[in-house]
Amino acid sequence: MKLSKTISALTAAVAMVVSASAFAADTVTLRFANVTNQPSIDAAQVLMDVAAKESNGRLVIKHFPNNMLGDDRVVTESTMMGDIDMVQTLPSVLASMIPDLYVWDAPFLFESADEAWKCMDGELGHAINSQVERRGLKYLAAVENGFRHYTNSKVPVKVPADVKGQKLRVIESEIQLAQWKNWGANPTPMAFTEVLSALQQGTIDAQENPLSIIDSNKLYEVQKYVSLTGHQFSPHILYINKGIYDSLDKELQQALDKAVIAYRDAQRARAVELNALSVKKFEDAGTTVVEVSPEEKEVWRKQAVDGGIYELVKKKMDNPQYLDKILNKDY
């Protein structure tokens, strides 16, 4: 009797272990490496909530914001290898492997965010961004890093002549270096983590970034002027390791797809909201926000054309006709 009870107890215990293992195997956790971008951080809860709801709790997304798992290049490479499941990053990180992604480094492609999303969400944008599949990634969505703007403490910049000789921090990019030299600045590659102190110490005169970055990193506190040049629309791209996505069952893939769309829409809407709040915050802090007219933006664009910047971009691309299509608004 005692033996029978012992066997029954062991059988029940084994059944519980098997049942727990089956449940654990049925639940998938994805690690999401996110950037230092407030709209993306705020919208991440939508991604997690919709994924959980649409999968009946089977799909769990763990959010790691503010480059907690490494800088853009590190987390992108880690996602390619499958050490991280999902990543939001700058497309320029992958451009050396996917040359058509250089197209997003070209200046003055879009006059508004709505134009940018029409391109990104359409066939042309998908054709460009989905090329990452040959490098082990799956393209999920494009979200907003934002239009890049020029800040400095010397003059209210409106046209290229105003930046002549200014030491400007840029990312390590042949296109960015050529572009700013063409416009008359003295571009200096520098890690973003060094920008605030470099501005404070006068090592550099200026920097350029989207409003959300200027705001969240308090760059406006050490700059007298924020000029709304909008010289480049800078997207962030959301990717997942392709092998990991393909390993998900259909229900989980559909849940993730719905969560991504909800995240994309929430992130873009939050970006619009925060951009407006940022401008007011800058003005309230005593920073001069400089409006740049369409005619003044055309001066920048024409100088980029005459200086061969668009030709440089096309030379680096596998399909240079993509840039022509965007410039002609054929998307």
Side-chain angles (χ1 to χ4, degrees):
M1 190 62 146
K2 289 184 179 179
L3 181 59
S4 177
K5 286 184 178 179
T6 301
I7 292 173
S8 296
L10 286 171
T11 302
V14 170
M16 288 177 66
V17 171
V18 171
S19 177
S21 297
F23 179 80
D26 203 37
T27 302
V28 175
T29 299
L30 301 179
R31 295 203 310 161
F32 170 32
N34 205 349
V35 289
T36 302
N37 174 282
Q38 199 59 48
S40 301
I41 293 168
D42 293 348
Q45 192 62 51
V46 174
L47 180 73
M48 294 185 282
D49 289 347
V50 174
K53 179 184 176 183
E54 293 294 334
S55 66
N56 295 311
R58 294 180 56 218
L59 184 60
V60 177
I61 296 177
K62 287 192 174 181
H63 183 219
F64 297 88
N66 294 311
N67 297 109
M68 286 173 62
L69 301 182
D71 64 25
D72 285 348
R73 189 168 300 281
V74 168
V75 293
T76 302
E77 291 174 352
S78 295
T79 305
M80 292 168 67
M81 293 185 290
D83 296 331
I84 296 173
D85 305 298
M86 297 173 62
V87 65
Q88 184 171 310
T89 189
L90 291 167
S92 57
V93 174
L94 287 160
S96 62
M97 293 178 281
I98 314 290
D100 284 337
L101 293 179
Y102 280 116
V103 73
W104 308 129
D105 281 347
F108 295 103
L109 294 180
F110 309 109
E111 295 175 19
S112 68
D114 286 343
E115 268 194 9
W117 300 136
K118 183 179 179 182
C119 175
M120 292 282 181
D121 297 340
E123 289 185 12
L124 180 60
H126 193 270
I128 295 169
N129 291 326
S130 63
Q131 292 182 50
V132 295
E133 291 203 359
R134 67 176 187 258
R135 291 292 181 174
L137 297 173
K138 178 177 174 61
Y139 165 63
L140 294 176
V143 294
E144 182 160 342
N145 189 23
F147 281 99
R148 301 181 78 90
H149 304 290
Y150 193 96
T151 77
N152 83 110
S153 292
K154 290 191 170 183
V155 295
V157 168
K158 289 193 170 188
V159 293
D162 296 331
V163 307
K164 186 178 173 88
Q166 287 198 16
K167 289 181 286 188
L168 167 71
R169 178 267 174 180
V170 295
I171 61 173
E172 184 69 58
S173 160
E174 180 186 356
I175 294 170
Q176 297 301 309
L177 288 166
Q179 170 180 281
W180 286 104
K181 284 178 181 176
N182 173 66
W183 283 333
N186 179 16
T188 304
M190 179 183 292
F192 181 71
T193 52
E194 301 172 16
V195 172
L196 181 61
S197 61
L199 289 170
Q200 290 172 320
Q201 296 164 11
T203 308
I204 54 174
D205 303 310
Q207 67 86 47
E208 49 86 50
N209 259 301
L211 294 176
S212 61
I213 302 297
I214 297 169
D215 186 349
S216 61
N217 292 275
K218 302 186 182 304
L219 299 178
Y220 65 94
E221 293 184 353
V222 294
Q223 297 278 259
K224 186 175 180 181
Y225 302 104
V226 175
S227 294
L228 303 181
T229 49
H231 52 272
Q232 181 188 354
F233 185 80
S234 177
H236 274 150
I237 309 294
L238 183 64
Y239 303 110
I240 186 172
N241 177 278
K242 189 175 185 303
I244 289 171
Y245 181 87
D246 291 344
S247 73
L248 300 176
D249 61 46
K250 188 174 182 181
E251 180 186 22
L252 292 187
Q253 286 183 351
Q254 290 176 342
L256 180 59
D257 292 346
K258 289 179 181 178
V260 165
I261 292 172
Y263 170 73
R264 179 197 70 188
D265 294 346
Q267 196 273 355
R268 293 179 185 178
R270 184 63 172 148
V272 172
E273 182 181 4
L274 289 181
N275 283 343
L277 291 173
S278 292
V279 169
K280 186 176 186 308
K281 183 187 289 188
F282 301 161
E283 292 173 334
D284 290 346
T287 304
T288 301
V289 177
V290 182
E291 295 287 345
V292 180
S293 70
E295 293 76 18
E296 288 163 339
K297 288 182 179 181
E298 179 59 22
V299 176
W300 294 84
R301 192 197 67 80
K302 186 176 186 305
Q303 194 161 322
V305 171
D306 294 344
I309 303 304
Y310 295 101
E311 288 304 314
L312 172 61
V313 176
K314 288 200 283 187
K315 283 178 183 177
K316 297 177 78 68
M317 297 173 65
D318 288 335
N319 294 281
Q321 70 273 15
Y322 288 159
L323 176 54
D324 290 327
K325 283 179 174 290
I326 294 173
L327 293 173
N328 292 326
K329 304 188 187 304
D330 181 18
Y331 41 73

